[in-house]
Amino acid sequence: MLHKLRGAGTAPARPSPAQIFIGLIGGIAGIGAIAYLTQLAGVPLLMAPFGATCVLLFAAPGAPLAQPRNVIGGHLIATLVGLAVMNIAGSGPWQMAAGVGLAIALMQVCRAIHPPAGANPIVVLAAGIQDWGFVLTPVLAGSVILVLIALLINNTGQQKNWPTYWI
């Protein structure tokens, strides 16, 4: 039983200094750009799950969960689920649980799984958001901005080819 707790594999290799630097710069650039545009436009573009999205985009860009389809699609799907639950059933613990479960299922069906987006129904329901415009701003706008920044940063240097796939 104890061997199950320790796991059978080995820990992943430590990232190279270059990859650590890319993570640092990507996180600063991604969240910084969204925060700046939020102030400039006077429109909220920033939400907490985008911080976790940056981790995937800049620390694990080769992962399937960090591809544009997953980032943008996952955030859109999960937010739409949260808004649907909020507008149909209101906010509460069971609604949050149902929203997250439904979002996971739909992301799987659509082949657009993005773990940070799993928090979007909670964000929508906890904040009491009912406006369907939330899907466009901050969700679509913010996720597209992060993907564009990842496109720039993850392709800087030799032998870089991100994303692995678009659709």
Side-chain angles (χ1 to χ4, degrees), residues 43-125:
V43 176
L45 293 169
L46 193 58
M47 59 179 198
F50 285 157
T53 293
C54 284
V55 173
L56 286 170
L57 285 172
F58 304 113
L65 307 171
Q67 302 308 305
R69 169 195 185 98
N70 299 71
V71 172
I72 297 168
H75 278 298
L76 288 174
I77 291 164
T79 302
L80 287 168
V81 167
L83 286 165
V85 170
M86 181 66 189
N87 282 285
I88 293 168
S91 180
W94 290 108
Q95 291 89 333
M96 288 181 189
V100 171
L102 286 167
I104 292 169
L106 282 173
M107 284 190 286
Q108 288 176 310
V109 167
C110 296
R111 297 179 308 119
I113 301 166
H114 186 63
N120 292 9
I122 296 170
V123 169
V124 168
L125 293 161

Side-chain angles (χ1 to χ4, degrees), residues 95-160:
Q95 291 89 333
M96 288 181 189
V100 171
L102 286 167
I104 292 169
L106 282 173
M107 284 190 286
Q108 288 176 310
V109 167
C110 296
R111 297 179 308 119
I113 301 166
H114 186 63
N120 292 9
I122 296 170
V123 169
V124 168
L125 293 161
I129 298 166
Q130 294 181 308
D131 181 4
W132 292 91
F134 189 77
V135 171
L136 298 175
T137 306
V139 178
L140 179 61
S143 58
V144 167
I145 290 166
L146 289 178
V147 165
L148 291 173
I149 291 169
L151 190 61
L152 176 67
I153 290 176
N154 289 335
N155 286 309
T156 300
Q158 295 178 339
Q159 309 280 324
K160 301 277 185 130

